[in-house]
Every structure is written in C-alpha cells, then in structure tokens.
Amino acid sequence: MEQAEQSEQQGQHDDHEEPEDALIQEDRVWQGQGWTARVIKNEDDDGWAVAMIKDGEPEPALVGPWTMGRDKKNPKPLDISAFHTLVKTANEVIRRHEQQLHARLHKSVRVVTDEGAAITVKMVITPDEDEPYATLTAVDEYGDELASVRTRPDFRLSATSATEWIEGGYRKP
C-alpha cells in the first residue's frame, strides 16, 4: 500500500514539473520535429521574417517573409499549422540542396566503343578541404568495373574525354 501511495504521489509530482528539454511553442518561437521557427524583424524593410533552424545547426536553412498581424505592426503569431508548413518547406529546401550537391559531385557519361561495347564512365568528386580529388571509374554494361583511377577534381568529364580515357588504356588523365 505504501508503495502504491508513493507511486501515486510521484506521478502527481511529475505532472507539475516541466521537463528540462521542453519544446517552446510561443507566438514568435516554435520548436518541434527537429526544427525551430523564429519570427524575426526583417532587416530589409519594416516587415517580419521567419527563420527555420535545424536542431544542431548554427545557421538557418531557410529565411522567408512572415505575415503581419491584424494590427499591421506586429507579426502574425506562429501556430501548429504554420509550423508544419514551415518544416515541410525547410525539409524540401535541404533535400534540393543535397540533390544539387550530389549532382555536382557525381557525374557519368555513357559511350560506345568502336568495338560496340557500352561503357559508363563515372566521376565522383571528393571535396576534401586539403586535397580534393576525383575518381574516374569505367563500368561495362553488366556493371563490372573495368578500371578506376584518381584524378584532379576539375577534370572535365564528357563523351570525348571518356572515350580518350578508354582508348588510352585507362591511364590517369
């Protein structure tokens, strides 16, 4: 019986305490789903902006205009619906950025040799701060690797350069 009373009292006590990592959900700051939306004064004009900051990141992933409130002076308060829309938009911005980065670092071209073999030449750039480099890889139509060499990150991969590399015996360009 004593243990049940202690558990009951403990439960009542826990209901009144705020967890240390409680999410903020206020008119100008809203947190959740790994994001913080913060309504800020727009530096460019008299309006307001909203900054979407991913947890753990120093800079906002997205900053966009925010609606004025009814008084035409203060910002419209954040709410759960607006926050969900902002999270969706910010996630899409990050996804597009990652796709663009992937496309910039991964290129490929397919060439057909004089013998009729279809070879795909892939170039993957490794953006190392000290020594960036690229890796050229030739793959046959069955997915088997024919050759792989390390080259400069500014190597221009094209059908012509890929054909020259293949015809040159896959030597480092």
Side-chain angles (χ1 to χ4, degrees):
M1 173 91 178
E2 254 182 69
Q3 194 172 15
E5 284 178 14
Q6 285 177 344
S7 293
E8 206 172 289
Q9 288 173 350
Q10 181 90 26
Q12 288 173 352
H13 183 69
D14 287 346
D15 289 345
H16 299 296
E17 276 190 26
E18 286 288 317
E20 286 183 32
D21 59 347
L23 298 177
I24 299 169
Q25 296 184 334
E26 300 172 352
D27 288 353
R28 292 193 186 183
V29 178
W30 200 283
Q31 294 176 319
Q33 301 176 14
W35 289 93
T36 299
R38 185 175 306 278
V39 176
I40 55 176
K41 191 76 174 130
N42 190 338
E43 296 172 5
D44 297 335
D45 63 25
D46 293 333
W48 295 89
V50 64
M52 289 299 292
I53 305 163
K54 191 161 182 68
D55 288 354
E57 294 295 322
E59 296 292 322
L62 171 70
V63 177
W66 188 244
T67 309
M68 290 285 229
R70 291 183 183 204
D71 65 1
K72 303 294 181 206
K73 184 178 177 186
N74 292 307
K76 177 181 165 189
L78 285 165
D79 61 27
I80 190 68
S81 178
F83 181 73
H84 284 301
T85 301
L86 289 166
V87 167
K88 184 178 177 184
T89 303
N91 279 325
E92 181 64 23
V93 166
I94 287 177
R95 190 179 69 74
R96 279 192 306 240
H97 175 74
E98 288 170 349
Q99 285 175 333
Q100 288 172 341
L101 180 62
H102 185 271
R104 198 173 64 218
L105 299 178
H106 297 79
K107 301 179 185 316
S108 72
V109 64
R110 188 167 183 256
V111 296
V112 178
T113 64
D114 291 338
E115 295 80 33
I119 298 176
T120 301
V121 176
K122 300 176 185 177
M123 181 172 136
V124 177
I125 298 171
T126 303
D128 186 274
E129 284 185 33
D130 297 327
E131 292 184 43
Y133 64 94
T135 303
L136 281 181
T137 305
V139 180
D140 69 14
E141 56 197 303
Y142 304 107
D144 295 327
E145 186 176 300
L146 302 173
S148 183
V149 297
R150 194 166 163 166
T151 189
R152 299 179 331 274
D154 61 347
F155 178 79
R156 299 259 185 227
L157 180 61
S158 66
T160 302
S161 64
T163 301
E164 289 171 358
W165 181 54
I166 293 165
E167 290 174 354
Y170 303 106
R171 287 190 305 276
K172 184 176 178 175

